Amino acid sequence: MNRIASRRWWLLWSLGLTVAAGCTLPHIGVPTRTPAPVTSGLIARGTPHVTPFFHQDSGQPGPTVLIIGGIHGNEPAGAEAAGQIRYWRITRGKLVVVPRANPPALAANTRGIPGKPTAVANLNRNFPRMDHPDDAPRGPIAEALWEFVCDLRPDWVLDLHEGYDFHTASKSSVGSSIIHFDDEETNRYVERMLEAVNAEVTEPEKRLASVPRGPVNGGLVRAAITHLQARGMIIETTWKEQPLSLRTRQHRLMVHRILADLDMITHGPEVRPPVFVSHGSAPPADGRLHVALYDGPGTSGEGVPNISAIIRGMPEATVTLVGPADLRDRPLAAFSAVVFPGGSARAQGQAIGEEAREHIREFVRGGGGYVGICAGAYLGTCRVEHYLSMVRAYHYSPWQRGRQRVDIELTEYGRDVLGLADRPGPFDVRYANGPLFFHEDGLVPDLDLPPFEVIAHFRSPARYKGQVQEMMVDTPAIVSAAFGGGRCILISPHPESDDHLWWLVEQSLRWVAHRESSPARQRVVLAPRQADLAATAH
Ligand SMILES: [Zn+2]
């Protein structure tokens, strides 16, 4: 910064002038005493960058806190966390959330704005700079966001980002840190936020750190501090080695701590479905099918993204990723169903621990739904340590049966459960060492569970190391069972891998969540399978 610019900046600061670079004058709001509901609107309306904001006015005097997510499109935890935080209820001040600041980059999963030259691609360098008092934002996204922020005049700006490494272990990355200016008041909040998030970090090199060198020049937070006299910080998690649910949780813990320290919030930071929270209690039922999808240790492959995509495509459903720490908060009462995907059942069960396993059992016993796919299906069965023991089935050892496409065929009961209009013949599906279900045969006498019912059978064998697994033919491939007042469906193969079989996962979710009569549960009409088409062509 040159001397004159520096002097001018400090002059503006010390005089408390609010006419800032590139800003229109702020709106003068009329104070209101009745708690206003959340209002929402669009930033950059009518452009390809249009994105929603959510403005919650508690009706009580207090600070205005702005939360921004998704400025960099390849840092999804910030957008995810902001999308959850917008449902929090505040008791004082205003909470304004822009969950997805940079929609084109988020859609493309890129750091920069797709198709823009390098000089302007990084949105977090496009805001009015510190050493340029008359600087204007660069590019349409920065212009629209900056106008919005100038109108809002926030007291705090919290910008949620992610980095590739852990700052504590590798100083070249700002991942897992809070970047802020070294001033006494901000430092106090940062210290408490780090305390809250690090209480759950067991590996020392993954602990979150304070980076008091100040948010980057040209970034939104630095611009708001410099030109609008706001306070602010950039909050960074790390995508390396950490599932999205954990990074999202860390953002939630830190934002929650500062909101609590600002006396703005009374409920907790635990994971919730996207429903507004009433003070201090669980979210009210809103009729939607809220699915919690486990993405923690023991998951692998494309299960989590594929199942997320399936649920996002269901008009009545929402999906929220959860990990072991989330499950230990006992959040499931607010959800309709929980899904465990492929990977390793033992690793999943071990990672969540007995407390979370008991919470899942309580949830299903009380009427909740459980869908397990491959590893998640093993996890639902009995007789193995760390399993959920909800379905009276055991798996016939060894677990290695091969990875290939196999034929499965629905039973009459299965067609009924899945709401099928047509009677399909066998169809093929990807299989990867999923469980072979056998009725638990009395070896565990105190097991007080009803027998399972068969939704589909395997009709062709897999092959493992050249060995054809003949014994799996005509054994159950998909089963269902009641557990207390709730329902489980265990799916051994991977229908989520083929989008033409997504109906199987959708209908399973609706059935375990007791939504047979839901208008969204249409009876499925199957397309003829490729083999049948080939046969009729001859
Ligand atoms: Zn970033």
Side-chain angles (χ1 to χ4, degrees), residues 156-159 178-180 186 190 193 221 232-235 258:
W156 285 91
V157 181
L158 310 179
D159 187 11
I178 300 179
I179 308 166
H180 61 100
T186 308
V190 169
M193 292 161 77
V221 174
M233 56 188 83
I234 296 178
I235 302 176
I258 185 170

Side-chain angles (χ1 to χ4, degrees), residues 70-386:
I71 281 204
H72 291 140
N74 61 340
E75 300 170 13
E80 190 70 23
Q84 296 181 5
I85 290 163
R86 83 173 180 85
Y87 291 99
W88 289 359
R89 274 279 188 241
I90 51 158
T91 53
R92 192 174 88 95
K94 294 178 183 136
L95 178 65
V96 183
V97 185
V98 182
R100 301 171 65 80
N102 191 350
L106 282 162
N109 191 29
T110 54
R111 177 173 172 83
I113 307 162
K116 295 284 175 195
T118 321
V120 289
N122 187 343
L123 178 56
N124 217 30
R125 302 294 181 274
N126 292 351
F127 294 94
R129 286 159 290 189
M130 186 175 185
D131 40 358
H132 298 63
D134 302 313
D135 201 18
R138 291 166 293 285
I141 303 184
E143 277 167 23
L145 279 170
W146 185 239
E147 191 186 340
F148 177 79
V149 177
C150 288
D151 277 356
L152 184 68
R153 297 271 149 178
D155 299 291
W156 285 91
V157 181
L158 310 179
D159 187 11
L160 314 186
H161 285 252
E162 297 203 81
Y164 62 90
D165 209 339
F166 300 90
H167 184 75
T168 297
S170 161
K171 296 289 176 252
S172 63
S173 174
V174 287
S176 292
S177 75
I178 300 179
I179 308 166
H180 61 100
F181 276 116
D182 189 6
D183 73 80
E184 214 177 302
E185 182 165 1
T186 308
N187 290 353
R188 266 195 299 131
Y189 288 101
V190 169
E191 202 177 304
R192 300 253 310 153
M193 292 161 77
L194 290 172
E195 220 175 83
V197 70
N198 283 331
E200 296 188 353
V201 181
T202 51
E203 294 167 69
E205 70 279 8
K206 294 186 178 173
R207 287 172 66 83
L208 287 86
S210 154
V211 177
R213 66 178 179 225
V216 64
N217 198 13
L220 178 60
V221 174
R222 178 83 156 238
I225 293 172
T226 306
H227 299 294
L228 303 178
Q229 290 75 55
R231 289 185 187 280
M233 56 188 83
I234 296 178
I235 302 176
E236 300 260 1
T237 53
T238 300
W239 65 67
K240 185 172 107 175
E241 297 166 14
Q242 303 195 117
L244 185 54
S245 67
L246 175 62
R247 291 132 58 194
T248 306
R249 177 181 180 84
Q250 292 187 331
H251 277 296
R252 277 203 321 273
L253 292 176
M254 288 184 273
V255 173
H256 183 271
R257 171 48 61 198
I258 185 170
L259 292 181
D261 284 350
L262 290 165
D263 286 326
M264 290 175 69
I265 197 160
T266 54
H267 63 70
E270 59 270 26
V271 73
R272 295 163 189 272
V275 184
F276 279 103
V277 176
S278 15
H279 296 309
S281 68
D286 66 348
R288 282 186 294 170
L289 201 169
H290 294 296
V291 183
L293 170 60
Y294 178 78
D295 78 337
T299 60
S300 60
E302 292 303 299
V304 171
N306 284 337
I307 297 165
S308 294
I310 292 172
I311 301 167
R312 280 198 304 270
M314 296 168 67
E316 78 280 34
T318 72
V319 61
T320 306
L321 298 176
V322 298
D326 295 319
L327 289 168
R328 284 194 285 273
D329 287 342
R330 312 178 67 79
L332 290 177
F335 288 90
S336 325
V338 61
V339 179
F340 275 73
S344 156
R346 192 179 289 266
Q348 292 178 5
Q350 220 158 3
I352 65 175
E354 177 52 23
E355 197 185 332
R357 292 198 298 273
E358 185 47 36
H359 173 54
I360 293 167
R361 284 189 288 263
E362 258 171 44
F363 163 66
V364 178
R365 213 179 274 126
Y370 179 90
V371 173
I373 298 178
C374 197
Y378 278 104
L379 189 67
T381 63
C382 295
R383 293 215 304 153
V384 176
E385 206 191 346
H386 310 300

Side-chain angles (χ1 to χ4, degrees), residues 19 41 186 385 455 490:
V19 182
T186 308
E385 206 191 346
I455 288 178
L490 308 183

